[in-house]
Amino acid sequence: MKTVFHGKRITGIMSVVPETVVKFDDEVENYTFPPKQTMRLKKIMGYEQHRIVKETTATSDFCVFGLQHMLDQGWLKKEEIGAIIVATSVPDHFVPPVSSIIHGKFELDPEVVCLDISQGCTAFYMGLIQAFMLLDHLPNKKAIVFASDVLSKKTSRQDRNSYPLVGDACGIAVVENDSKASDIHAIVRNKGDLKGVLTIPAGGSRLACSAETAVMRDTEGDGNLRCLDNLCMQGSEVFVFAQVEVPPLVNDTLKFAGINKEDVELYLLHQPNRFMLRKLAERMEVPYEKVPMNLVENFGNSSGACIPLSITYNFPDLMKEKETKCMLCAFGSGLTWGAMTMDLGELDFCEMLQSNL
Amino acid sequence: MEKIYAILNDLHPEFDYRDSDDYIEDGLLDSFDAVQLISELEEKFHITIDGLDILPENIGSIHAIVNLIRKSGGKI
């Protein structure tokens, strides 16, 4: 899809992270690899620490925590909400959807639209797309986008490919109609992942969870132990996919928007790891300074919440003070990749919240 | 080439990189090793390696690594 959204604006962003900080050094003994070899990854991949939820925390808990805070602060009123969009790859249950759980917790109006999207790395991006489209039918309401994932619960602690990367978090955006808003140019692309480059094999209708799917094995022959209920990521393929597809997408989106790459002040990319982001910045031919790449070392890769987390962590004051020409770009599981240009800023709020979740 | 062998041996002192024609096939380099190798090559040879060139076939042997360095503007 390639389209222009008219009269839509993000008016507030917040993120919620768990209070539990787990250091990379403390997990080194979990892996089958020699500790000295594993410790090398700290420098190269930017592994330092990540945020992990408690065992009792589910995806909706993040969303509810964040929404409650917004209501308590007076940033939002319940009667203003016209749609709840939750984009996640780890819902509380298959049924009911997370958006319905949120609706129930806050006893929202029956006519509020509740929509769950199954998305991982592109959750926030696709959630925004849905919000922009829905708002055409909600003239006097606001859409709330939640990109929330607790992937630590679906990742083996003995998988050195994935576990050090994973960070749990939720990003939330309030999106509104605004006739004075600048146009948002967006392109989203897909290439169906039939090879399982990024997958959680068991738990759905293809393969139900069982005692067999819970058996830990070196399924890929790479020394990492995981079961079929766990996330499995082919790191090399993901790297190549991003290098091949993201720079042309960025260029095409800039051309579509009629702006030069120098005009963009911030490239707000999904945060897989520092090495991949450096290589992307080089291929995109944009200076590192315009591409925040510090999320993994501080919070882990929080899947679809990366972009709002990056905004609230790196630019809380800037985003409240002025409009900034930004490109948002997400890429990952699906395989899906999307970019959009927007003037982002003068937000009513831009805050990161630490929770006891 | 000694500089390259030194980088490889620093990654895995337990392996003999002179005795292999295919580091990937022989299990001497995994994807994380590749990331570290690329970073070390960039630093030691003062080059920037294009992300699209970071492929198994370009780091799978000493000759492939030499070609990669030269392609990236480095001097051996």
Side-chain angles (χ1 to χ4, degrees):
Chain A
M1 183 173 82
K2 184 177 178 179
T3 195
V4 184
F5 295 105
H6 305 289
K8 304 292 181 284
R9 176 187 289 281
I10 297 175
T11 55
I13 296 179
M14 67 174 292
S15 60
V16 183
V17 296
E19 63 184 0
T20 305
V21 179
V22 184
K23 300 277 186 193
F24 179 74
D25 294 18
D26 295 336
E27 293 176 324
V28 163
E29 299 291 335
N30 291 349
Y31 310 118
T32 63
F33 305 91
K36 188 181 169 192
Q37 192 195 97
T38 297
M39 286 299 287
R40 282 191 167 130
L41 299 181
K42 275 185 81 164
K43 182 185 166 197
I44 298 303
M45 303 297 287
Y47 295 162
E48 188 62 47
Q49 60 191 31
H50 54 166
R51 298 284 184 124
I52 302 295
V53 292
K54 296 183 169 68
E55 195 56 39
T56 48
T57 299
T59 296
S60 70
D61 295 328
F62 269 140
C63 305
V64 168
F65 190 97
L67 184 52
Q68 187 62 61
H69 183 75
M70 283 157 50
L71 294 170
D72 290 343
Q73 295 295 312
W75 296 336
L76 184 70
K77 297 188 181 102
K78 281 208 282 191
E79 55 269 28
E80 292 176 316
I81 301 173
I84 302 170
I85 300 146
V86 177
T88 182
S89 55
V90 191
D92 294 23
H93 320 283
F94 285 122
V95 182
V98 178
S99 51
S100 296
I101 294 171
I102 299 168
H103 185 281
K105 295 260 185 180
F106 290 95
E107 296 177 325
L108 296 177
D109 186 280
E111 293 194 7
V112 169
V113 176
C114 295
L115 180 63
D116 271 29
I117 310 171
S118 176
Q119 283 288 347
C121 316
T122 56
F124 186 68
Y125 178 93
M126 293 305 294
L128 288 178
I129 296 276
Q130 288 290 331
F132 297 153
M133 293 194 285
L134 272 172
L135 280 168
D136 281 345
H137 304 278
L138 297 165
N140 301 310
K141 297 287 187 183
K142 301 180 183 182
I144 318 300
V145 175
F146 299 86
S148 184
D149 256 329
V150 290
L151 269 171
S152 66
K153 292 188 154 193
K154 299 302 288 182
T155 309
S156 165
R157 288 173 192 235
Q158 293 178 285
D159 182 354
R160 198 189 65 175
N161 272 8
S162 299
Y163 196 74
L165 269 177
V166 161
D168 301 325
C170 173
I172 309 172
V174 176
V175 191
E176 301 181 35
N177 288 302
D178 180 355
S179 58
K180 298 195 188 73
S182 306
D183 285 346
I184 296 169
H185 291 77
I187 299 178
V188 59
R189 295 174 175 158
N190 280 278
K191 182 176 176 184
D193 176 16
L194 300 181
K195 292 195 285 187
V197 169
L198 272 159
T199 181
I200 299 175
S205 59
R206 176 64 59 199
L207 179 65
C209 287
S210 66
E212 177 62 24
T213 65
V215 174
M216 298 292 280
R217 294 191 182 99
D218 182 356
T219 55
E220 303 297 311
D222 58 4
N224 292 297
L225 298 179
R226 57 177 85 84
C227 68
L228 294 174
D229 301 336
N230 293 143
L231 176 72
C232 181
M233 180 177 65
Q234 310 291 338
S236 300
E237 282 82 354
V238 174
F239 180 86
V240 171
F241 149 70
Q243 297 297 315
V244 168
E245 301 293 356
V246 172
L249 170 70
V250 166
N251 289 338
D252 290 346
T253 308
L254 288 169
K255 189 174 170 188
F256 181 44
I259 58 179
N260 299 319
K261 67 176 67 161
E262 296 75 25
D263 297 332
V264 175
E265 295 169 78
L266 285 174
Y267 289 85
L268 299 166
L269 268 56
H270 172 59
Q271 302 273 303
N273 59 69
R274 184 182 282 274
F275 180 78
M276 193 186 290
L277 287 168
R278 285 176 71 91
K279 286 298 159 195
L280 279 175
E282 288 161 13
R283 281 190 51 74
M284 286 159 50
E285 295 181 327
V286 300
Y288 294 150
E289 294 72 40
K290 286 192 174 185
V291 185
M293 45 181 92
N294 58 351
L295 221 63
V296 168
E297 68 212 45
N298 288 292
F299 299 96
N301 170 346
S302 47
S303 186
C306 278
I307 291 176
L309 199 61
S310 177
I311 293 169
T312 55
Y313 181 64
N314 289 306
F315 311 108
D317 295 328
L318 174 70
M319 286 293 157
K320 286 184 287 198
E321 285 161 7
K322 70 185 268 290
E323 275 200 334
T324 304
K325 194 167 287 298
C326 295
M327 172 172 282
L328 277 60
C329 180
F331 45 92
S333 59
L335 301 163
T336 301
W337 59 111
M340 62 173 74
T341 57
M342 66 168 66
D343 291 333
L344 181 63
E346 292 180 347
L347 301 180
D348 296 333
F349 58 91
C350 185
E351 183 171 315
M352 171 182 284
L353 214 59
Q354 183 162 281
S355 70
N356 57 354
L357 294 170
Chain B
M1 282 208 270
E2 288 308 313
K3 219 167 162 181
I4 302 170
Y5 279 124
I7 294 170
L8 289 166
N9 289 327
D10 192 49
L11 279 178
H12 287 286
E14 70 275 25
F15 295 151
D16 184 357
Y17 287 93
R18 294 171 198 265
D19 200 32
S20 167
D21 291 327
D22 191 331
Y23 299 151
I24 312 295
E25 184 67 29
D26 292 344
L28 306 187
L29 281 181
D30 64 19
S31 56
F32 288 124
D33 293 328
V35 169
Q36 186 162 359
L37 173 63
I38 296 297
S39 298
E40 293 287 328
L41 292 175
E42 289 185 327
E43 187 183 322
K44 297 282 193 312
F45 290 92
H46 309 292
I47 54 176
T48 299
I49 296 173
D50 189 310
L52 279 184
D53 288 331
I54 302 174
L55 297 168
E57 54 262 38
N58 291 343
I59 55 165
S61 69
I62 191 70
H63 301 292
I65 296 171
V66 167
N67 288 339
L68 179 62
I69 293 168
R70 286 187 174 135
K71 184 185 177 190
S72 307
K75 290 190 171 60
I76 303 291

